[in-house]
Amino acid sequence: MSDDLVDRLLDWGRLALSRRGFIGLGAGATAALLDSREFGSVGDGRKDEHKALQAALDRAVAGPRPRPLLIPSGTYQLSKPLQASGPLEIRGDGPERTVLLAPPDSPAISVGTLAHGQPSGLVLRDFTIRSSSTSLAPMLDIRQYGRKWIVDRVNFDGAFGDRTGVRVWSSWVGSIRDCSFYRFGTEGVRARRAAIVIKPQSLPTGNGPINNVAIADCAFERVQAGIDLHDPEETGKSTVIHAVEIRNPRFKNSSVKGPVANSIGIRANSTSTFNVVVTAPFFEDFAVGVSVRGWGWAITSPFAQSADTVVELVTGGGHSITGLVLDGAAANAIGTGVRCRSGVSGRCELHLWKSVHGRKYLGHPWVDDTKGKLVVIPA
C-alpha cells in the first residue's frame, strides 16, 4: 500500500471521526473537530488559502462552545494573517506535514488584541510556519491573550530572514514547548529580531506585564538570536517581565571554526526583568550563551561546547550560576566561562563550575570579573 494511499485513508478516518464528535479538545473532551477542507481549503502550496481558513476559524470560535480546527496535511499559502480573539485551538497533522506559508509582511496567525479581559484557551499545535521574506513582522503574534495559552510542537522556519517566530506582547501563564526554530537571521550579522520575543507592551488601559511564561524543550538551530526578553528596539515602551522559566533549550549553529559572530542564545534588553530561571541550556557555536540584565536570574547546569562567552552578567544583581560545564572541542574553543560586567551592582554567585578538559580549550580566563562582584565557589 502506497504512503499516499495510507495518508488519504487516515485523513478520511479522521474526518469521519470528527463529524461524529469523537475527537475533541483534549482527553475526555467530545467537541467535534472541524476540518478546514469543509470550508474550501486545498493545501496545494499555490492557492491563497486565507479566505477558506479564516471562515473555518470563525466557525470554530463561534457559539458558546468553541470547537478545535484541524488543518490537514498540505501546504497553505496565506496572503493575510488568520485572526481570532476568542478561545481557539488549531492543530495540524504534524510539523512538516501541515505547513502554513506566512504572508510576506504580516503574521501567519495573530490572536488577541491589546485589551484586558480576553478569554483564555489558546492552543496551537502540530504544524509548521515557514517564511521566505525579510519582514520584521512575527510569524505568530500573541497579543494579551488571556490565560493558559499553549504553543506546542510547532516548527518555525525563517529561511534566514530577520523576523520573529513567536512574539508575545502581554500575557499571564503561557507556554511555548517542544518547538523548533530554524534559520533565523543572517549568520554573522547582528539580528534585529530574535526567534522568540517576549515583549511586555504598555496597553491603552494600563500596564501589560509578562507574568509566568515557560519556554520548554525548544531547539534553536542556525539562529542569530534565540530568545529576547524585551524587544531590543522598543524597550522604552515596555513594562516589566516577572517569572520566566526556560527549560532545556538547545542552541546550535553550523560553524566548524568556532562561535558564529554576533550570535546570542538568550538576551535580556531591559533591567525590568525579574526572576528568570534557565535550566540546562546547551550552546554550540554561539558567541554569547546568556546575556543577563535585571535581577534574580538563576542559571542551572549550563553546558557549552563552543562559545566566546557562556554567561554574561551585564546589570543588576542577585544572579546565580550553578553547575557550569565547559567542554570545548579542539577547533571550537571556549573563550570565557562567565563575564561579570561593570554594570552589575549587587552580589552574584558562581557555584560548582567545571572545565572537562581543564584549561586546554579555554582561550581566556574562565572568569572575567571587572568589578569584583562575582563570588566564586569552586567544585
Side-chain angles (χ1 to χ4, degrees):
M1 185 179 294
S2 70
D3 291 341
D4 182 63
L5 180 56
V6 170
D7 287 343
R8 289 167 62 191
L9 289 172
L10 288 172
D11 289 341
W12 291 336
R14 184 183 299 105
L15 181 58
L17 287 172
S18 70
R19 286 175 172 169
R20 287 166 173 78
F22 296 134
I23 300 177
L25 289 166
T30 58
L33 182 69
L34 284 178
D35 191 307
S36 67
R37 288 172 297 188
E38 298 180 63
F39 298 83
S41 71
V42 176
D44 62 2
R46 298 185 299 274
K47 175 186 174 182
D48 180 7
E49 307 273 7
H50 175 264
K51 184 177 180 179
L53 292 181
Q54 186 64 57
L57 182 55
D58 291 343
R59 178 69 63 83
V61 300
R65 187 176 185 186
R67 299 167 63 184
L69 173 64
L70 170 69
I71 304 178
S73 295
T75 300
Y76 299 83
Q77 182 76 53
L78 295 171
S79 61
K80 294 187 292 187
L82 302 175
Q83 294 183 310
S85 58
L88 166 66
E89 178 173 354
I90 297 177
R91 64 175 68 168
D93 270 333
E96 304 308 322
R97 291 173 59 83
T98 298
V99 179
L100 305 181
L101 300 181
D105 297 307
S106 58
I109 303 173
S110 179
V111 290
T113 59
L114 291 181
H116 290 297
Q118 295 182 76
S120 60
L122 169 66
V123 180
L124 303 174
R125 58 164 50 106
D126 290 321
F127 55 88
T128 291
I129 302 179
R130 182 167 292 133
S131 169
S132 59
S133 81
T134 58
S135 166
L136 296 180
M139 299 182 189
L140 170 61
D141 214 13
I142 301 174
R143 302 161 67 95
Q144 179 66 14
Y145 201 90
R147 294 167 172 81
K148 294 298 290 183
W149 55 267
I150 299 170
V151 180
D152 183 27
R153 298 192 301 272
V154 177
N155 289 354
F156 297 85
D157 184 352
F160 297 113
D162 197 9
R163 70 185 301 182
T164 294
V166 182
R167 178 172 63 183
V168 180
W169 287 68
S170 184
S171 172
W172 292 72
V173 191
S175 64
I176 302 168
R177 61 195 192 195
D178 202 17
C179 296
S180 72
F181 298 84
Y182 180 52
R183 302 190 301 180
F184 281 83
T186 302
E187 290 177 302
V189 179
R190 182 177 175 82
R192 292 180 62 190
R193 291 290 189 268
I196 297 176
V197 170
I198 306 298
K199 172 190 175 71
Q201 183 68 20
S202 298
L203 305 179
T205 52
N207 289 337
I210 297 289
N211 288 299
N212 304 106
V213 171
I215 302 170
D217 303 312
C218 292
F220 301 81
E221 185 174 357
R222 303 191 75 178
V223 168
Q224 278 298 104
I227 301 171
D228 265 338
L229 305 180
H230 290 277
D231 191 294
E233 307 234 338
E234 301 187 48
T235 55
K237 301 177 183 178
S238 298
T239 57
V240 299
I241 291 177
H242 297 111
V244 173
E245 183 175 8
I246 304 171
R247 299 192 303 269
N248 304 321
R250 179 180 183 271
F251 298 91
K252 185 182 186 306
N253 278 315
S254 60
S255 173
V256 296
K257 298 181 180 179
V260 173
N262 298 303
S263 58
I264 187 164
I266 302 167
R267 173 174 58 190
N269 297 287
S270 170
T271 57
S272 297
T273 307
F274 303 90
N275 302 103
V276 178
V277 176
V278 183
T279 304
F282 173 93
F283 302 102
E284 183 177 350
D285 300 327
F286 269 74
V288 177
V290 187
S291 182
V292 175
R293 289 176 172 84
W295 301 86
W297 284 55
I299 304 171
T300 303
S301 302
F303 181 96
Q305 193 166 11
S306 175
D308 289 331
T309 301
V310 182
V311 179
E312 180 183 48
L313 305 178
V314 183
T315 67
H319 310 307
S320 68
I321 307 159
T322 303
L324 169 65
V325 176
L326 311 176
D327 185 14
N332 297 335
I334 302 291
T336 298
V338 178
R339 177 170 286 118
C340 188
R341 299 288 191 181
S342 60
V344 172
S345 58
R347 167 177 160 153
C348 303
E349 293 185 346
L350 170 62
H351 297 256
L352 307 177
W353 81 282
K354 177 67 175 177
S355 176
V356 174
H357 294 99
R359 296 185 180 274
K360 181 177 180 181
Y361 299 134
L362 287 174
H364 300 282
W366 62 273
V367 170
D368 179 0
D369 186 10
T370 58
K371 292 292 184 178
K373 293 290 184 178
L374 187 64
V375 177
V376 179
I377 304 171

